Amino acid sequence: GGGERRRGGGSTDTIACFAGKGSAEISAEGGGRDSWACVVLGDLHLNPGEMTPFYKARDEIKALLDTQCGDVPDDRKFLVSLGDLGAYGIAGTTESFENAKNYLEGYGLPKRNMRIVTGNHDLEGMEEFKTDEENFQAWRNAFDVDGEQGQFVAEIPGTKCVLLG
């Protein structure tokens, strides 16, 4: 785990955080009541038996959100996970979905501001599910994904920004 603050042009701050096999990038745009922040997590491959490094990284990311994006209201903080949630061997199973859901909820962000994209490893529950469709439906159910194909659109109120996945 670790973090680095990079200052971009204008009023954009970006904080990059790296955890285990995955990574996160936090972007904070603007300031005051029009500010917003987004955490992007990729390829976590969470292992229920080895969660300590992931909890540590989550705590570091939450601390960065508090210290670097403290003026951003919670309802304007977003999290996007780019899939591949479960560790090899349990990826794509109900167990991996529940573990990932619990981990992601630990960020404490409003549920409506958490978006999950399915990864190729999220459909590896071949021993638990008879078809990819059943596996995908279990993933959708675990994360309350509305989009027929798992897609999402989230507008950031008061900005010209849209999160698509």
Side-chain angles (χ1 to χ4, degrees), residues 118-135:
T118 186
N120 60 314
H121 295 291
D122 295 327
L123 296 179
E124 289 184 352
M126 295 173 270
E127 293 184 23
E128 182 176 349
F129 304 103
K130 293 179 184 174
T131 65
D132 284 345
E133 289 79 14
E134 285 181 18
N135 201 166

Side-chain angles (χ1 to χ4, degrees), residues 21-23 39-46 54 79-88 91-92 96-97 100 103-104 115-123 139 143 150 152 165:
K21 294 180 183 176
S23 64
V39 175
V40 179
L41 303 171
D43 291 27
L44 292 173
H45 293 287
L46 299 168
F54 296 102
L79 180 140
V80 177
S81 176
L82 301 178
D84 289 354
L85 301 170
Y88 300 106
S96 73
F97 300 154
Y103 174 76
L104 295 171
R115 306 298 182 175
I116 314 297
V117 176
T118 186
N120 60 314
H121 295 291
D122 295 327
L123 296 179
W139 175 87
F143 298 104
F152 67 81

Side-chain angles (χ1 to χ4, degrees), residues 7-56:
R7 190 144 182 91
S11 59
T12 301
D13 289 339
T14 301
I15 303 150
C17 308
F18 305 96
K21 294 180 183 176
S23 64
E25 188 164 295
I26 304 170
S27 293
E29 183 72 30
R33 65 182 181 85
D34 293 330
S35 61
W36 57 276
C38 183
V39 175
V40 179
L41 303 171
D43 291 27
L44 292 173
H45 293 287
L46 299 168
N47 184 337
E50 299 176 17
M51 291 298 294
T52 302
F54 296 102
Y55 294 142
K56 182 179 180 210

